[in-house]
Amino acid sequence: MLFNSYPFILLFLPIVLAGYFWLGRRSNLAPVIWLALASIAFYAIGSWQFVALLLLSIAFNYGVGHFLIAAKLTPPQRKAALALGVAGDLLVLGIFKYAGFATENVNALLGTHFAVHILLPVGISFYTFTQIAFLVDAYRGQVAAYALPHYALFVTYFPHLIAGPILHHKDMIPQFEREETKRPDGHLILCGVIIFAIGLFKKTCLADGIQPLVALAFEARSPSFDQAWCGALAYTFQLYFDFSGYSDMAIGISLMFGIFLPVNFNSPYKATGIIEFWRRWHMTLSQFLRDYLYIPLGGNRHGRVLRYVNLLITMLLGGLWHGAAWTFVVWGALHGAYLCVNHAFNALVPNVPALLARPVQIAGAVLTFLAVVVAWVFFRAESVTWALRVLHAMADPSNIVFGREEIAALVMIAVYAALVWLAPNTQAIMGYDHGNRRVGEALRAGRRRPLFLYGASLVLALGILGIQSHSEFIYFRF
Amino acid sequence: MRAAFTSLRRLLLTSIAFVLAAVVLTYVVDPLQLFRASRSAFYSDDTRVQNAGLIRSQSFDTTFMGTSLAIHFRQSDIDRALGVRSLKLAMTGSNSRQQAFVLEQAIARGARRVIWAMDDFIFVDASDIETDPYLSVDLYRRTPKGIASYLFSASMAKESLFALLRSVPPLQRPLTRAAPYLPVKFALADVDDIYALPRDFDVAREYNAKKTRAAFAYITSPVRSRFLGEGYGYQAMVRNFEQDAVSLIARYPDVTFDIYFPPYSILQFVAMRDASPGTLKIVTDVTAVIAERLTQRPNVRLHDFRAIKAVTHDLDNYGDVIHHSPVVDGMVLKWLASGEYRVDPKAPLVSLDQLKAQVEAYRVED
């Protein structure tokens, strides 16, 4: 089921909200079970064939986790239990996500003709990662024993299930356990609706609105210089508004239930360096990769060279996490290389003279944005060859069309660029503070003008009017 | 707490009011002319949507259908050459099911003659029109669902708002001139300009032998040549032809169908000959069936332009291996008017045999 669909907005969400708060008047556990069941139903609509896999995954990880938490095990036994859990998760992910890719490469290398056709279960990358984090923390002794309904809800919680944000059990389960969240809070519902409206507008009007321009670069056989740039920039903005729109909607929906989700985007294209970019883009994935991959690999604890190696490995695997294709591997490798260059630069030039600080910052922002756009070309292209063709066109200013279509595209891209660089982001507009569980304090205190509410109404109306018959989120396929 | 719920109620009610205002705006302005024709209307290149409005708002006796090969024709040129009042409904990348559906809508609105540029590849993949995500049958049929999708649309509301602004006298001229360069769909002031190339278009730059040969090299490259015959299947293509073309023609015996096989460059067939001979066989076999079946219909005049060597072997006429220049558009109209290349019902495969011989004999220059 899609957030940007009439059945979800007009039927599913109101029914689940009503049931949640109605049950909340009677019990603290029943709303949790209700929400978990609703989440499974949400997943089943459209992906019913993978519900069993999801439930098996929950049962397996809960079992291993419970074993690590409750059983009296020797350190080697604990290690073995963790290895079993993580290996089980990675095996399932490997089969469903990477078997086809591996077979293709074996065929290419050995000239064989093996064929593997396995459908990718929606959200598998997300729910596998959240559960691996749970197992690792259970192994480290950082997890209290959770009740099964709370754990099941933590994994299946429908606002995040399909495309994140990647949740952390320590953040979520205590919220599910709190009684206050089961009582309707008008302020949180109001803020949730406004954040949802902003996300819906980003998705249906902005991301879907610019999507046709992407074809200029990625569906043309030989795009010109301007077409290639327009297409690459259009995809850069489409992806941002699509994914951050989804994240906003997830945060908004969750807020209606009184649950605070972590922020996933913080104006990433305003970053002045690639390190900063990764602190602003898909933040929950960055945190996951840092805590459960980069640091266990050794992080920056074993000298500069190994730090760069660890960075590269982390980003390569991060790329592969997005999809089983060489384009994602190249994308990850590029970002790994960017991060190494950025760290090396910081080591070589620790202090920029005050006079040069501003120009260096601007140059950094421009360079970072261009580097990100180049990497997105690989992320979006059907193949590495295709990506190279687009990049070649972007580097060949001798071939320019600059016709009516290209000028119109450029005007549209300029509008999007202005929005990305000049407009405040959702959490700034709403004063969303995930850590302190606060949102919309200005609204609550009456410091916002009525015009703000009318603006939010317009955004919600446009978001609803922008709904097309079927427009999936880009991150659904990861 | 109560204040929050009051604000929430106000927000939701205001949203509903905005939605209704957008619906009213789109209904009143009606950029697609779905409800009423307008002399001050503007037109869009989004032909799958635009055609739904054109069929209802334009007066015509002849309709012109095809894919991207027919998209650049100008209605005014068709009218002049054939002495008709035409409506061009060609859609890029369209399949036979979409074309037949749109044609039937146009016939229901008064078309007595159909000119149909029939590419063989339109029969390759024709999915169910009722669930086609690219062409809304509900919009064409004006069902409640189709009307709702038109009125409850942010994109149409934006177009309506722009049209409204453009109708304000001081803004009329600057916005009309700027519209083609702005991200608005309904930007063309003249219906004749839909997908037509500008009058001052540099034909030689876009259509020349260099580009044609480059396209040939591209599609016959070993890494891509397998795509040449992708989806081609004799049985399915004949089935789609029967379902979409023959049954439409049979349902409207009083409508005259001028159907023609477009003049692709010889390299289109040579590419198949060299890189995918099986595909070439399917294409020639299917078009043989088409020729034999259509020439038997009393309301069909079939024209085959594929073997006109003077055109198809002159690679300067093409932008790639199939898309011909506007100069050839003019020739096509002339040939249609004269009937010079009309297929003889008694010998429907003569031109196809000529084509086969040409393909066999053609040698590609290095």
Side-chain angles (χ1 to χ4, degrees):
Chain A
M1 188 177 254
L2 296 167
F3 292 165
N4 54 325
S5 66
Y6 292 117
F8 176 81
I9 295 170
L10 302 177
L11 219 62
F12 183 87
L13 185 57
I15 290 173
V16 177
L17 269 172
Y20 180 75
F21 291 126
W22 185 76
L23 289 169
R25 283 190 287 180
R26 282 151 185 79
S27 141
N28 193 32
L29 182 63
V32 171
I33 296 170
W34 164 259
L35 207 46
L37 290 174
S39 297
I40 292 166
F42 174 86
Y43 187 78
I45 300 169
S47 302
W48 58 269
Q49 64 272 51
F50 299 121
V51 171
L53 181 71
L54 172 67
L55 296 178
L56 270 174
S57 171
I58 292 171
F60 173 73
N61 282 283
Y62 185 74
V64 175
H66 195 72
F67 197 56
L68 282 165
I69 297 162
K72 288 194 169 65
L73 302 173
T74 61
Q77 285 172 324
R78 290 180 66 76
K79 199 167 258 184
L82 173 69
L84 172 79
V86 174
D89 282 336
L90 293 180
L91 184 71
V92 172
L93 189 64
I95 290 171
F96 281 95
K97 191 159 180 173
Y98 301 105
F101 179 56
T103 312
E104 264 178 40
N105 286 294
V106 167
N107 286 341
L109 277 174
L110 306 179
T112 49
H113 296 91
F114 297 115
V116 175
H117 299 292
I118 300 176
L119 283 178
L120 179 69
V122 175
I124 189 169
S125 308
F126 288 94
Y127 68 70
T128 302
F129 266 32
T130 49
Q131 297 192 101
I132 287 177
F134 166 73
L135 291 183
V136 172
D137 288 352
Y139 169 77
R140 289 171 178 165
Q142 295 169 346
V143 180
Y146 298 132
L148 179 60
H150 293 87
Y151 179 79
L153 178 57
F154 155 64
V155 180
T156 60
Y157 189 42
F158 76 88
H160 95 106
L161 174 60
I162 289 170
I166 296 171
L167 303 183
H168 200 276
H169 55 93
K170 274 195 255 179
D171 180 28
M172 297 308 296
I173 294 183
Q175 292 195 72
F176 295 144
E177 289 169 342
R178 282 178 60 224
E179 276 187 35
E180 297 80 51
T181 58
K182 280 74 175 194
R183 286 193 285 272
D185 182 326
H187 176 70
L188 292 186
I189 295 175
L190 175 66
C191 292
V193 169
I194 296 174
I195 293 174
F196 176 80
I198 296 171
L200 185 66
F201 176 78
K202 279 184 180 177
K203 165 63 183 165
T204 64
C205 294
L206 298 179
D208 291 350
I210 202 166
Q211 185 264 335
L213 301 190
V214 177
L216 282 173
F218 294 97
E219 281 168 33
R221 187 181 292 164
S222 49
S224 62
F225 174 76
D226 46 342
Q227 288 167 342
W229 272 104
C230 283
L233 288 170
Y235 183 67
T236 301
F237 294 132
Q238 184 207 356
L239 184 64
Y240 169 64
F241 284 117
D242 190 278
F243 195 19
S244 76
Y246 177 88
S247 298
D248 286 350
M249 279 189 260
I251 290 170
I253 293 164
S254 188
L255 211 50
M256 294 179 211
F257 292 94
I259 307 288
F260 283 74
L261 290 187
V263 171
N264 219 11
F265 288 89
N266 184 20
S267 305
Y269 294 147
K270 290 178 186 168
T272 55
I274 208 78
I275 299 171
E276 190 190 345
F277 173 81
W278 277 104
R279 288 186 187 133
R280 290 166 170 263
W281 176 274
H282 203 173
M283 294 150 72
T284 55
L285 176 70
S286 307
Q287 284 152 16
F288 180 92
L289 290 175
R290 185 196 62 203
D291 294 344
Y292 296 97
L293 192 57
Y294 176 67
I295 292 175
L297 278 171
N300 58 1
R301 300 190 301 275
H302 305 293
R304 203 173 285 170
V305 175
L306 275 179
R307 176 196 207 173
Y308 296 156
V309 172
N310 291 337
L311 270 174
L312 271 174
I313 293 172
T314 304
M315 294 313 290
L316 272 174
L317 291 175
L320 209 53
W321 174 83
H322 281 86
W326 285 108
T327 46
F328 293 112
V329 176
V330 175
W331 175 79
L334 271 177
H335 271 282
Y338 293 162
L339 283 169
C340 292
V341 170
N342 199 162
H343 278 291
F345 179 82
N346 288 353
L348 288 169
V349 191
N351 296 309
V352 176
L355 193 69
L356 292 174
R358 190 74 187 143
V360 166
Q361 218 173 20
I362 293 170
V366 172
L367 202 63
T368 303
F369 183 71
L370 290 177
V372 168
V373 173
V374 167
W376 285 144
V377 171
F378 286 95
F379 196 85
R380 170 61 177 79
E382 294 292 319
S383 64
V384 174
T385 318
W386 200 286
L388 290 174
R389 192 179 314 140
V390 174
L391 287 174
H392 185 261
M394 288 165 73
D396 179 16
S398 64
N399 178 19
I400 294 186
V401 173
F402 212 55
R404 188 174 77 78
E405 199 183 352
E406 289 73 23
I407 295 172
L410 218 54
V411 171
M412 197 162 178
I413 285 165
V415 172
Y416 277 66
L419 273 175
V420 161
W421 284 311
L422 303 178
N425 61 36
T426 309
Q427 54 268 32
I429 293 170
M430 289 306 297
Y432 185 81
D433 183 351
H434 164 250
N436 292 309
R437 307 281 188 252
R438 287 207 314 220
V439 62
E441 291 304 318
L443 197 64
R444 196 201 297 267
R447 293 198 301 273
R448 289 280 193 186
R449 292 178 181 184
L451 202 60
F452 176 79
L453 219 53
Y454 294 126
S457 304
L458 181 62
V459 167
L460 179 60
L462 290 173
I464 289 172
L465 287 168
I467 292 173
Q468 294 170 10
S469 54
H470 190 83
S471 170
E472 276 197 353
F473 294 93
I474 295 172
Y475 260 68
F476 271 24
R477 68 188 77 134
F478 303 140
Chain B
M1 183 68 79
R2 249 176 97 177
F5 279 114
T6 307
S7 295
L8 180 64
R9 199 173 308 121
R10 190 185 300 165
L11 183 143
L12 295 176
L13 288 174
T14 315
S15 291
I16 293 169
F18 277 128
V19 167
L20 293 177
V23 167
V24 170
L25 176 68
T26 302
Y27 179 77
V28 171
V29 175
D30 192 15
L32 198 52
Q33 301 180 73
L34 200 63
F35 303 115
R36 65 199 84 86
S38 162
R39 273 191 294 173
S40 58
F42 280 70
Y43 300 90
S44 154
D45 275 339
D46 186 357
T47 48
R48 281 172 177 74
V49 174
Q50 178 64 83
N51 286 349
L54 289 179
I55 290 170
R56 292 192 174 269
S57 62
Q58 308 294 306
S59 64
F60 56 92
D61 56 32
T62 298
T63 182
F64 188 86
M65 178 52 80
T67 61
S68 54
L69 278 98
I71 206 84
H72 296 315
F73 281 84
R74 280 184 179 274
Q75 287 179 182
S76 54
D77 294 339
I78 300 170
D79 295 355
R80 227 181 351 264
L82 304 178
V84 295
R85 184 140 195 205
S86 66
L87 177 66
K88 182 180 76 176
L89 297 171
M91 300 171 285
T92 53
S94 50
N95 61 41
S96 57
R97 194 83 19 104
Q98 294 170 338
Q99 294 187 1
F101 173 78
V102 173
L103 279 175
E104 187 152 27
Q105 304 299 309
I107 290 169
R109 298 288 296 181
R112 306 275 40 97
R113 183 176 175 186
V114 169
I115 302 166
W116 196 344
M118 191 173 277
D119 300 292
D120 53 74
F121 49 80
I122 63 171
F123 300 112
V124 168
D125 181 21
S127 56
D128 181 14
I129 194 72
E130 298 298 326
T131 53
D132 190 328
Y134 303 107
L135 191 143
S136 166
V137 292
D138 289 301
L139 190 65
Y140 283 78
R141 291 177 184 144
R142 273 202 345 193
T143 63
K145 189 181 166 195
I147 291 173
S149 72
Y150 174 52
L151 295 179
F152 286 83
S153 159
S155 151
M156 283 300 169
K158 181 189 83 175
E159 297 294 337
S160 303
L161 191 61
F162 187 79
L164 202 64
L165 287 174
R166 193 168 38 197
S167 68
V168 177
L171 298 175
Q172 208 162 21
R173 187 181 279 254
L175 284 184
T176 300
R177 291 182 67 178
Y181 306 101
L182 296 176
V184 287
K185 276 189 174 178
F186 292 82
L188 306 169
D190 188 346
V191 69
D192 204 37
D193 289 336
I194 295 175
Y195 249 116
L197 299 171
R199 297 283 185 198
D200 59 352
F201 182 74
D202 186 351
V203 174
R205 182 185 151 144
E206 292 304 317
Y207 298 89
N208 55 61
K210 192 179 163 200
K211 290 190 94 169
T212 313
R213 285 202 187 92
F216 175 77
Y218 182 87
I219 60 171
T220 52
S221 147
V223 288
R224 281 177 225 99
S225 57
R226 67 195 153 100
F227 297 120
L228 261 177
E230 204 176 31
Y232 278 74
Y234 175 81
Q235 299 289 352
M237 289 174 78
V238 170
R239 197 167 51 243
N240 289 333
F241 163 69
E242 292 287 340
Q243 184 179 336
D244 299 327
V246 176
S247 78
L248 178 77
I249 292 162
R251 279 201 302 280
Y252 297 97
D254 54 337
V255 175
T256 304
F257 286 81
D258 273 301
I259 297 175
Y260 72 86
F261 293 135
Y264 307 135
S265 86
I266 189 71
L267 291 186
Q268 161 75 350
F269 300 102
V270 172
M272 292 180 195
R273 180 197 72 185
D274 294 350
S276 183
T279 309
L280 180 62
K281 170 136 180 55
I282 293 171
V283 167
T284 50
D285 288 354
V286 168
T287 51
V289 172
I290 295 175
E292 283 168 340
R293 293 281 284 131
L294 291 184
T295 47
Q296 290 162 17
R297 308 295 317 183
N299 57 334
V300 174
R301 294 189 290 241
L302 180 67
H303 310 258
D304 192 346
F305 304 143
R306 293 176 301 173
I308 306 173
K309 206 170 171 180
V311 173
T312 61
H313 286 54
D314 179 355
L315 302 184
D316 278 329
N317 282 327
Y318 298 89
D320 53 37
V321 293
I322 52 172
H323 292 94
H324 54 69
S325 79
V327 178
V328 180
D329 286 356
M331 295 180 192
V332 166
L333 292 177
K334 200 180 76 188
W335 298 330
L336 283 169
S338 67
E340 196 179 341
Y341 294 99
R342 190 172 165 191
V343 177
D344 182 355
K346 290 180 197 137
L349 303 183
V350 170
S351 57
L352 179 62
D353 291 338
Q354 286 170 356
L355 173 69
K356 283 180 179 172
Q358 289 173 9
V359 172
E360 208 176 317
Y362 193 85
R363 293 291 162 263
V364 181
E365 291 171 35
D366 290 327

